[in-house]
Amino acid sequence: MARIRRVLDGRRRRRGHVLRPRKRVAQRTALEQLGFLSDAGLALSGSLVPQRIVDMIASLAVPRLGDGAMVFLRDGDEIGIGAIVHRNGRVAEVLRGAVATEQPSLDNDYAPGLVLRTGQTWYTPYLTDDLAARLPIRAGADSLYHQLLKGPSITVPMPGRGRVLGAVMLIRESGTYTPVEISLAEHLARRGAVALDNAQRYSAEQECALTLQRSLLPADPPALRGVEIAVEYRPGTAGTEVGGDFYDVIPLSDGRVGIAIGDVMGRGLQAAAVMGQLRAALRAYALEDWAPAELLSRLDRVVDALPGLHLATCMYVVYDPRTRRATVSNAGHLPPLLVMPDEEPDYLVLDPGLPLGVGDIEVFSETSLELPPGSGIVLYTDGLVESRRHPLQDGMDRLRRGLASATDDVVPAGPAGPAGPAVSQPVPARVLLRRCLTASGLAVQTDDDTALLVMTT
């Protein structure tokens, strides 16, 4: 009996010695797959650029799930190639050229057309002669393209919100695809589809918001005598909502010109709607030749009459090229930056005023100054000088110092005249505007939109 127990115990130990490593391998494989999908999901969700996500899907699949990967995207009834990645760069070029020769179609009864049409996974253990004859690429059977597809391949759909956004084709030179690998590829494609769908929707909303914002602003400043004007609008790329920044250039009677800049507090369609109404009222009052202070008083009443509580800053300047006098009135906006000939750039000291919509503002003050030939006045919104990383005062100092030390785009001095030495040529408005953007260090992606208007005399 003791001998039988020893034999049975030995069998149990041997049996346990065989099973435990297999279980550990299976568990380790499952954990690795979950870790791969988790890391892939984090990477894909970290971008809102559609093309970057498509490139990322292909890169994540190689070499984990194949020697090469091709991502096809559906655009209506058309199929386009989104990305091609292969462990061999030369092979990737061959695949790219072959696909570009004749694009796949949704009518095809093979991948990727069939996958995009049905949303079902397509698995080919090897390329048969019958399937090779049905491929759109009519190369010979011994061509490099057909040689690359002779191994196993799988094509998995990228489903998103009731439609198939694309398909991912994975190829190997040899071997096979297990059910686990096919399932892993399907999960990767699903995660990629979710990220791509979000990015496409974000891009569409951002484009609509930008189109709305630009439609509310003048496209190009008018050509005027005695002055040169340049404008720039930069949307806030950190979100899809439109902002309330605006500017305007208004030709007035007797050769005068009115320039304005403002910022409606808040974001979204409501801020844009208020901005559109405010700019329309400003232009109407300006064409009636109201003085800057009186114009702002009337605008204040317009903002008070709008439903809801709204606040807006605004600055209005009237310049007369004949007298070279500029009259400025301000309603809570940032002071303009003056660039005078042979002087350091500096901010104009004037009564800041209260924003429009505060109420109980009886009258706004006016400041008058002379702008000799070659002068420049810079109107801007806070997006140019303020961000999460830079306080407002630091941004304004950086803009002023940057303009003072600007040495690029220097306009050479003119020849000496009979009455004196050579005179520096005035800096064009577009050059001064570009210097402002450079000096401010405006980032490519900002939280706030930016309006900038530069007038030179």
Side-chain angles (χ1 to χ4, degrees):
M1 181 65 69
R3 181 175 178 276
I4 293 175
R5 288 197 189 96
R6 287 196 298 272
V7 172
L8 291 176
D9 290 342
R11 288 180 179 177
R12 292 192 187 99
R13 284 195 296 270
R14 286 194 298 271
R15 189 178 299 115
H17 180 75
V18 173
L19 291 179
R20 287 195 194 99
R22 289 181 179 176
K23 290 182 179 178
R24 285 198 295 268
V25 169
Q27 292 174 352
R28 189 183 304 115
T29 301
L31 289 175
E32 288 177 355
Q33 292 171 352
L34 290 175
F36 168 74
L37 291 176
S38 177
D39 293 342
L42 288 175
L44 291 167
S45 62
S47 175
L48 287 173
V49 181
Q51 185 57 51
R52 189 178 303 170
I53 292 174
V54 172
D55 294 336
M56 204 180 302
I57 294 171
S59 299
L60 288 168
V62 178
R64 179 63 183 260
L65 294 172
D67 298 316
M70 293 183 285
V71 180
F72 297 91
L73 300 177
R74 179 172 180 174
D75 184 10
D77 294 332
E78 302 293 330
I79 300 178
I81 184 67
I84 295 180
V85 173
H86 199 278
R87 301 176 69 175
N88 187 328
R90 179 174 174 268
V91 172
E93 290 300 323
V94 172
L95 291 173
R96 191 172 290 107
V99 174
T101 302
E102 188 170 350
Q103 294 284 353
S105 171
L106 287 176
D107 298 332
N108 300 146
D109 56 353
Y110 45 83
L114 182 63
V115 176
L116 289 170
R117 193 173 68 248
T118 64
Q120 301 296 319
T121 298
W122 170 282
Y123 173 44
T124 305
Y126 56 90
L127 186 65
T128 63
D129 294 338
D130 177 64
L131 183 58
R134 292 153 51 195
L135 290 176
I137 310 301
R138 302 303 182 188
D142 57 346
S143 69
L144 180 57
Y145 179 73
H146 280 192
Q147 291 295 326
L148 293 172
L149 295 183
K150 275 194 172 181
S153 67
I154 53 174
T155 306
V156 294
M158 297 171 56
R161 306 199 190 199
R163 59 194 179 104
V164 180
L165 302 177
V168 182
M169 176 181 286
L170 305 172
I171 59 175
R172 281 178 176 167
E173 296 178 359
S174 60
T176 185
Y177 277 100
T178 66
V180 174
E181 290 175 321
I182 295 176
S183 176
L184 189 63
E186 291 174 336
H187 282 290
L188 175 63
R190 290 194 192 100
R191 282 166 169 76
V194 171
L196 180 61
D197 187 42
N198 289 336
Q200 289 176 342
R201 290 175 178 268
Y202 174 85
S203 298
E205 291 176 2
Q206 192 175 47
E207 184 63 28
C208 290
L210 180 57
T211 301
L212 172 63
Q213 181 77 12
R214 292 194 183 280
S215 67
L216 297 173
L217 296 175
D220 297 301
L224 302 168
R225 282 184 174 273
V227 297
E228 190 176 80
I229 296 176
V231 295
E232 183 85 7
Y233 173 75
R234 297 282 184 90
T237 55
T240 61
E241 290 189 320
V242 294
D245 290 13
F246 69 94
Y247 57 79
D248 208 346
V249 181
I250 309 161
L252 303 175
S253 60
D254 300 328
R256 296 170 303 141
V257 58
I259 58 175
I261 197 159
D263 186 1
V264 176
M265 306 299 180
R267 297 188 65 80
L269 294 177
Q270 187 178 39
V274 173
M275 180 268 283
Q277 296 177 76
L278 193 61
R279 177 176 167 262
L282 184 150
R283 175 168 279 265
Y285 291 139
L287 292 175
E288 292 180 353
D289 267 342
W290 291 104
E294 180 61 28
L295 182 143
L296 291 184
S297 296
R298 292 173 177 269
L299 279 185
D300 183 54
R301 292 196 289 270
V302 170
V303 175
D304 284 339
L306 294 175
L309 179 62
H310 303 288
L311 294 176
T313 64
C314 184
M315 180 180 294
Y316 182 56
V317 182
V318 174
Y319 176 69
D320 189 343
R322 297 176 304 169
T323 62
R324 300 173 184 170
R325 302 294 297 180
T327 304
V328 185
S329 188
N330 190 21
H333 202 77
L334 297 174
L337 182 62
L338 297 180
V339 184
M340 296 293 196
D342 303 322
E343 294 184 18
E344 292 286 327
D346 204 357
Y347 293 98
L348 177 63
V349 179
L350 75 167
D351 184 356
L354 293 175
L356 305 175
V358 172
D360 298 330
I361 304 177
E362 295 182 359
V363 65
F364 291 89
S365 64
E366 289 183 350
T367 300
S368 183
L369 71 155
E370 182 179 354
L371 296 179
S375 303
I377 183 169
V378 179
L379 308 183
Y380 55 94
T381 57
D382 56 357
L384 183 72
V385 292
E386 186 180 30
S387 67
R388 293 180 180 178
R389 296 175 299 172
H390 302 291
L392 177 61
Q393 189 59 51
D394 291 350
M396 294 177 66
D397 291 340
R398 184 172 61 251
L399 175 62
R400 179 179 52 80
R401 291 194 305 266
L403 280 185
S405 61
T407 57
D408 59 336
D409 297 322
V410 174
V411 180
V423 179
S424 298
Q425 297 295 320
V427 178
R430 176 53 60 178
V431 173
L432 183 56
L433 183 141
R434 187 164 60 245
R435 287 181 179 179
C436 290
L437 293 174
T438 302
S440 68
L442 187 64
V444 176
Q445 290 193 341
T446 59
D447 297 328
D448 198 7
D449 48 350
T450 301
L452 179 62
L453 187 152
V454 173
M455 183 185 75
T456 56
T457 62

